[in-house]
Amino acid sequence: MEHVAELNVVAPAIGRGPVTTGLPFPRGALVDLRKLVLRDASGKAVHLQSRATDRWPDGSVRWVLLDWIAEANAGPYRVGVGEPVAVEGQVVKVEERDGLITVDTGAAKFELYHTADLTFPFRVVETAGARYWEEPSCFAVKGERVSEPDLWFVSTEEAGAVRACALLRGTMEGRHAPARVEFGARLHFFAGSSTVRFEFTIRNPRRSAHPGGLWDLGDSGSIFLKDASFTFALPAGETSIRCSPEVGTLVEDFAAPFELYQDSSGGENWRSTNHLNRKHELPVAFRGYKLKSGESERTGFRATPIVTLSRGTDAVGVAVPHFWQNFPQAVEATSDSLTLRLLPKQSADAHELQGGEQKTWTFAVAFGPDATPETLEWFRQPARAFASPKWYCESGAIPYLSPKADDPNADYLKLVDAATEGADTFDAKREKIDEYGWRHFGDIYGDHEAVYHAGPQPMVSHYNNQYDPVAGFAYQLMRSGDPRWLRHMEELAAHVIDIDIYHTTQDKSAYNGGLFWHTYHYVDADTGTHRSYPRSLLQLKGMPGLDPNDPKAQRSKSVYALGGGPANEHNYTTGLMLHYFLTGSAASRDAALGLARWVIDMDDGSKTVFRWLASGDTGYASQSRDASYHGPGRGSGNSLSALVDGHRLSGDVAFLNKAEQLVRRCIHPNDNVPKHNLLDVENRWFYTMFLQALGKYLDHKIERGELDAMYAYARASLLHYARWMADHEVPTLSRPEILEYPNETWAAQDMRKSEVFKFAAKHATGAEKRRFLERAEFFFRDAVSRLTAFETRTLARPVVLMLSFGYMHAHFQRHPEEAAPLPKIEVHDFGRPEVFVPQKVRAKKRAKLLVVGGAAMGLLSVVALVGWLLLK
């Protein structure tokens, strides 16, 4: 075989179970997926399912998603390109007929209604030949009343021989139609297995009212659920209940009624103020979980249960990974049913889903002979597979990536490894504020925001994907092969998709589908949860040294003029895209594409009330710091990066067209750079973010062979700014007097300057190329040395910046002569820069003209209309 990758599998030590993983291939290496061959350590061919998730511009496969059924201790596996090999074994068969979808795994047959019906998720389950469960399960939500699911969409999302996936969507009506709950489920079926993996989501599609730009719990857009649960039934009779409460614990027999209820995380800080509810109360009642069996009761700290209910060969079982992390949850069993409570009625408070908020739980349900603790162990601890760092890096799928073992910059690597090694790891940070519970799990504690905090309780701050640590985790996984990075990536991606994205279409277009900022600087999240502006900010709670009469305090209050909520300056898609490539997560792909589409929607002037006074773009996609700045910046840089990702994921030319429009709007080869006042660090430091995104855009154009006039324009703009930087930029902390807080983050942000010079060096020649490389080396060394000197170097923000930036340096050390192609179209005159005027500014100007020119009879109505529009 050619191009052979070795896949290491981390899995339970006994039995067998499914493995899904994404693998990159070099350009041109994999053209026909049928020629992929998988073998175990003994050389035996293994039945393999494959699907291309990304392709090189020449049509060859860049990322392929692999599925197979692995045996314990059968690895490492090897996959390569060779002649097709016939492998016998059970396969998944999917059939759609007469309004039904039938999935036959060889071990079980499942029937799902293809058309709307109340039965959810299964109509019939058949196992062990002639054994049937008629309507074996039900799902219900209890809020104002018990609501049953109204299933309105079912489709086959994947129909492979090893794994099939059905996508189901529906609603559950409350007493009032606007309060309805939406739900979605991806059900994964596996060859030779009667176990189904659920990815189940509950969503509140209503908008938040967010009065005054405040996004706290208790908002009128919230819904309150008392219970949300699945029940799986067996025919009545004498049954056996077995449970392994925690990973590594023995399987025991228990009496009915059985209940395992996790009320809190079980950690030492289980009563953290992180868990405040809308009443500013802590609803957690005790530490850890309680397990009741008949008349007996015992307690524990952190449950990850497997529970089975059986009577002969009739059996049903569940396995729930991340059970304690997503507290509260419960599992119950009686003599004839097994119930999984995702939002349990045992909790002391109702479960509040904020407007536009959703939650996804992953769990497995087994029927019949597979409903055993031994089989379900593969779903409690899902198997993970990954290739060697050398394979990921040499594939070229991720530009500039090199194996950690080949990186000579030990001081830089030490800064990166602080996330997983030492006393202040990201896992340790979680424990400080108990960053657990269904709303919080997966996020990173923003401890850098608490450096000025004084008090008996830690200050709560949520990172919310600032500077894309999901991408940073992916890079470090591929560089090192350390599965801890994979775990962090998966957990944070899940959190971002559910909690940090605003899942509504009922608010303004600048908010709908957008990504929320991190907790506001230096204040406690309080009842604002993961949304940017909590009500407590009005009291300037926790702000370092602020007097209400101080200009800094006034500036903090003025943030409400921006309206709060999602905004372009923290819109990150690359990590979600990489998570999709590495794991096949359809939710991550949907989220990344949704955020790219949000860039287009927020800039669409036809979606605002100002369209009555002025057409054209709003400027929301390109503004940074304030509504008047549309030059190179954080907002424009993130929008450009998201659009490039959207184009790569979908091929939709609308994303590339919008990206190029923003490039022309925000930068020009003939810009008067000093007019942007880029050395005003507090207000313009982020221009390097746009230049980094511009380098990414140029790489995208090169990869596609589009060396056109737009490529020439962007290339000339990058070189123009790099020349200015080479003449004027200095380490930010060399001028501490100009900084409000001269802290460790400024040293970490300077790594961006090094990367801009690397991109510029790639497009330069001769002495200029050498100068840019020297500047790249200087800023890399300076950033690392200054950050290393800070005792606070392990705080979340600087570590995240090191995860995502700096890895390029080892590549350019080895390939200093790497050069980009010249444009195929020579452009000698790019014209003069044009000033972009946002729609709102033009609308106000138009409104003034209308008022001045209004006829006397209609003056009052004109004034009223204009005033209403300007207040929106």
Side-chain angles (χ1 to χ4, degrees):
M1 292 192 297
E2 297 179 359
H3 301 288
V4 179
E6 186 169 282
L7 295 169
N8 296 302
V9 178
V10 178
I14 59 172
R16 64 198 304 266
V19 177
T20 302
T21 193
L23 187 70
F25 275 83
R27 186 169 185 154
L30 178 58
V31 178
D32 186 351
L33 288 172
R34 292 173 299 180
K35 292 190 175 183
L36 274 181
V37 179
L38 179 71
R39 297 184 184 276
D40 63 18
S42 70
K44 177 184 176 183
V46 178
H47 195 201
L48 178 67
Q49 174 179 320
S50 60
R51 176 170 62 86
T53 55
D54 187 35
R55 291 186 181 272
W56 295 98
D58 66 359
S60 62
V61 175
R62 177 158 41 188
W63 283 92
V64 61
L65 187 67
L66 306 175
D67 281 280
W68 74 95
I69 305 300
E71 304 283 347
N73 305 312
Y77 289 82
R78 291 176 175 84
V79 61
V81 182
E83 290 305 312
V85 176
V87 182
E88 294 184 358
Q90 292 175 308
V91 297
V92 181
K93 299 177 183 178
V94 180
E95 182 180 1
E96 297 188 33
R97 187 176 62 183
D98 299 331
L100 287 177
I101 294 178
T102 301
V103 181
D104 188 344
T105 68
K109 186 179 292 185
F110 302 87
E111 288 186 0
L112 300 85
Y113 275 111
H114 186 56
T115 54
D117 191 88
L118 291 178
T119 302
F120 171 78
F122 305 121
R123 175 178 175 267
V124 171
V125 176
E126 176 186 349
T127 64
R131 298 187 182 278
Y132 290 85
W133 282 265
E134 293 283 352
E135 299 189 4
S137 60
C138 68
F139 177 76
V141 168
K142 184 177 181 180
E144 293 180 326
R145 64 177 183 179
V146 175
S147 300
E148 294 183 345
D150 181 7
L151 191 63
W152 54 265
F153 177 83
V154 181
S155 71
T156 304
E157 192 171 65
E158 189 131 19
V162 175
R163 179 177 61 89
C165 179
L167 175 63
L168 300 83
R169 291 182 179 145
T171 59
M172 285 166 279
E173 298 292 336
R175 182 168 296 170
H176 307 291
R180 72 182 187 279
V181 178
E182 294 181 349
F183 70 88
R186 284 185 166 93
L187 307 182
H188 299 264
F189 306 89
F190 305 96
S193 175
S194 62
T195 304
V196 183
R197 186 174 69 225
F198 282 62
E199 296 172 14
F200 181 76
T201 302
I202 297 177
R203 178 186 303 118
N204 175 7
R206 302 172 67 189
R207 59 161 289 178
S208 289
H210 50 84
L214 304 175
W215 296 78
D216 294 77
L217 293 171
D219 184 282
S220 61
S222 294
I223 58 175
F224 298 90
L225 306 177
K226 183 60 182 174
D227 187 75
S229 58
F230 280 91
T231 297
F232 304 93
L234 282 182
E238 186 175 347
T239 54
S240 169
I241 300 171
R242 304 183 74 204
C243 173
S244 167
E246 304 178 31
V247 173
T249 59
L250 296 175
V251 178
E252 302 175 59
D253 292 318
F254 292 93
F258 170 89
E259 177 188 294
L260 193 162
Y261 168 56
Q262 184 88 37
D263 185 71
S264 65
S265 75
E268 291 185 2
N269 297 317
W270 63 277
R271 286 188 57 79
S272 168
T273 57
N274 196 14
H275 308 305
L276 290 173
N277 65 11
R278 65 198 179 281
K279 302 174 184 178
H280 225 260
E281 300 170 344
L282 288 173
V284 289
F286 59 89
R287 181 180 178 182
Y289 67 87
K290 291 181 179 179
L291 191 158
K292 298 178 181 178
S293 173
E295 299 298 320
S296 66
E297 179 179 312
R298 74 191 202 201
T299 62
F301 289 143
R302 293 180 162 174
T304 308
I306 292 173
V307 182
T308 63
L309 178 67
S310 61
R311 192 188 70 239
T313 57
D314 290 336
V316 63
V318 296
V320 193
H322 297 149
F323 184 84
W324 66 264
Q325 294 94 328
N326 284 305
F327 77 85
Q329 288 193 83
V331 183
E332 301 170 11
T334 65
S335 61
D336 58 2
S337 66
L338 185 63
T339 298
L340 173 60
R341 299 194 185 279
L342 304 174
L343 296 174
K345 64 182 181 180
Q346 291 93 330
S347 178
D349 191 23
H351 310 279
E352 179 177 355
L353 269 179
Q354 295 174 275
E357 190 172 53
Q358 70 176 35
K359 178 61 184 179
T360 302
W361 294 265
T362 299
F363 56 94
V365 182
F367 297 91
D370 270 3
T372 66
E374 293 75 22
T375 299
L376 285 167
E377 190 64 46
W378 277 76
F379 294 87
R380 174 161 69 173
Q381 301 183 81
R384 297 288 184 263
F386 44 91
S388 68
K390 182 179 180 182
W391 179 269
Y392 288 120
C393 298
E394 291 187 357
S395 73
I398 307 296
Y400 317 116
L401 204 66
S402 59
K404 176 184 177 182
D406 296 338
D407 191 331
N409 304 293
D411 47 357
Y412 162 73
L413 294 174
K414 188 173 182 180
L415 294 171
V416 170
D417 289 343
T420 56
E421 302 288 346
D424 197 22
T425 65
F426 283 179
D427 283 331
K429 293 178 192 298
R430 279 180 177 171
E431 299 292 338
K432 292 178 181 177
I433 62 165
D434 205 57
E435 193 76 301
Y436 300 111
W438 64 261
R439 178 176 283 121
H440 306 305
F441 176 57
D443 206 350
I444 298 169
Y445 172 35
D447 56 351
H448 53 281
E449 303 290 1
V451 292
Y452 301 101
H453 174 71
Q457 294 284 343
M459 197 194 85
V460 173
S461 184
H462 304 298
Y463 201 73
N464 277 41
N465 202 27
Q466 184 186 22
Y467 305 134
D468 206 354
V470 180
F473 294 145
Y475 297 141
Q476 300 310 321
L477 166 67
M478 289 183 279
R479 295 196 77 199
S480 68
D482 186 336
R484 290 177 295 182
W485 298 114
L486 176 62
R487 175 172 61 83
H488 281 298
M489 177 186 64
E490 291 187 324
E491 292 168 0
L492 179 56
H495 170 86
V496 169
I497 292 167
D498 280 345
I499 307 301
D500 295 343
I501 293 177
Y502 192 29
H503 300 277
T504 188
T505 59
Q506 300 174 17
D507 212 323
K508 60 178 68 176
S509 59
Y511 289 173
N512 291 337
L515 190 65
F516 285 101
W517 285 50
H518 53 83
T519 304
Y520 191 65
H521 290 309
Y522 304 121
V523 303
D524 194 284
D526 202 64
T527 56
T529 70
H530 295 264
R531 303 186 173 192
S532 309
Y533 304 109
R535 188 163 50 241
S536 61
L537 186 56
L538 291 175
Q539 290 81 45
L540 300 174
K541 182 179 180 180
M543 295 292 283
L546 285 187
D547 183 292
N549 298 316
D550 188 282
K552 296 175 187 176
Q554 298 303 318
R555 189 178 67 200
S556 298
K557 289 181 179 180
S558 71
V559 74
Y560 301 112
L562 300 177
N568 66 333
E569 291 193 64
H570 282 291
N571 182 23
Y572 302 99
T573 56
T574 302
L576 295 170
M577 179 179 70
L578 293 176
H579 182 249
Y580 166 62
F581 292 151
L582 284 161
T583 68
S585 168
S588 283
R589 181 181 186 272
D590 292 346
L593 280 173
L595 292 173
R597 174 58 60 182
W598 176 49
V599 174
I600 296 176
D601 290 344
M602 75 169 75
D603 212 49
D604 185 351
S606 69
K607 298 179 181 292
T608 74
V609 294
F610 297 106
R611 67 185 182 276
W612 303 109
L613 291 172
S615 61
D617 296 332
T618 66
Y620 293 144
S622 55
Q623 68 186 37
S624 298
R625 189 70 171 183
D626 58 64
S628 64
Y629 180 72
H630 296 271
R634 174 164 58 188
S636 54
N638 284 337
S639 292
L640 176 58
S641 180
L643 291 165
V644 171
D645 290 342
H647 187 243
R648 179 173 172 184
L649 282 167
S650 68
D652 187 342
V653 71
F655 292 122
L656 187 58
N657 289 342
K658 188 65 180 182
E660 295 186 338
Q661 182 196 34
L662 292 186
V663 170
R664 292 190 298 270
R665 179 190 299 178
C666 299
I667 200 168
H668 193 279
N670 297 324
D671 271 343
N672 182 347
V673 179
K675 284 188 66 175
H676 285 317
N677 200 20
L678 301 183
L679 295 180
D680 176 8
V681 180
E682 290 284 357
N683 294 294
R684 293 290 181 264
W685 69 266
F686 43 58
Y687 79 92
T688 54
M689 293 181 67
F690 182 86
L691 297 181
Q692 287 176 290
L694 192 64
K696 175 178 175 176
Y697 163 79
L698 286 166
D699 282 350
H700 189 61
K701 296 285 280 187
I702 293 168
E703 180 185 288
R704 296 173 56 80
E706 297 177 359
L707 309 179
D708 52 17
M710 205 47 230
Y711 173 77
Y713 179 100
R715 176 180 179 273
S717 298
L718 174 65
L719 291 171
H720 180 57
Y721 274 76
R723 291 170 189 135
W724 176 87
M725 289 177 64
D727 289 338
H728 297 92
E729 268 295 0
V730 297
T732 303
L733 287 173
S734 67
R735 301 185 297 159
E737 68 280 358
I738 68 171
L739 299 171
E740 192 171 350
Y741 303 111
N743 57 30
E744 69 292 323
T745 297
W746 293 112
Q749 294 285 21
D750 269 0
M751 188 63 77
R752 297 182 185 275
K753 298 173 184 175
S754 176
E755 303 215 338
V756 171
F757 281 121
K758 293 182 183 75
F759 281 122
K762 184 176 175 179
H763 290 271
T765 59
E768 185 168 66
K769 183 183 190 77
R770 291 191 293 275
R771 188 185 187 204
F772 289 158
L773 287 173
E774 181 278 325
R775 290 286 81 192
E777 176 74 16
F778 169 79
F779 278 103
F780 178 87
R781 296 293 167 204
D782 189 85
V784 169
S785 63
R786 289 182 189 270
L787 181 55
T788 300
F790 276 94
E791 292 184 0
T792 51
R793 61 186 173 274
T794 63
L795 292 175
R797 185 165 53 190
V799 172
V800 165
L801 288 166
M802 292 300 99
L803 297 181
S804 296
F805 309 116
Y807 69 83
M808 289 174 61
H809 201 70
H811 173 86
F812 278 89
Q813 285 174 312
R814 285 179 168 77
H815 307 283
E817 299 307 316
E818 181 167 338
L822 293 172
K824 291 182 178 179
I825 299 176
E826 289 190 31
V827 182
H828 300 288
D829 183 7
F830 293 102
R832 300 179 62 181
E834 296 183 3
V835 176
F836 172 74
V837 181
Q839 180 192 37
K840 189 173 183 178
V841 173
R842 288 180 280 109
K844 286 183 175 181
K845 185 175 181 179
R846 176 66 174 160
K848 290 179 182 178
L849 292 174
L850 285 173
V851 171
V852 171
M857 288 296 292
L859 183 59
L860 290 178
S861 60
V862 170
V863 170
L865 172 62
V866 170
W868 178 76
L869 287 170
L870 295 182
L871 287 173
K872 293 297 284 182

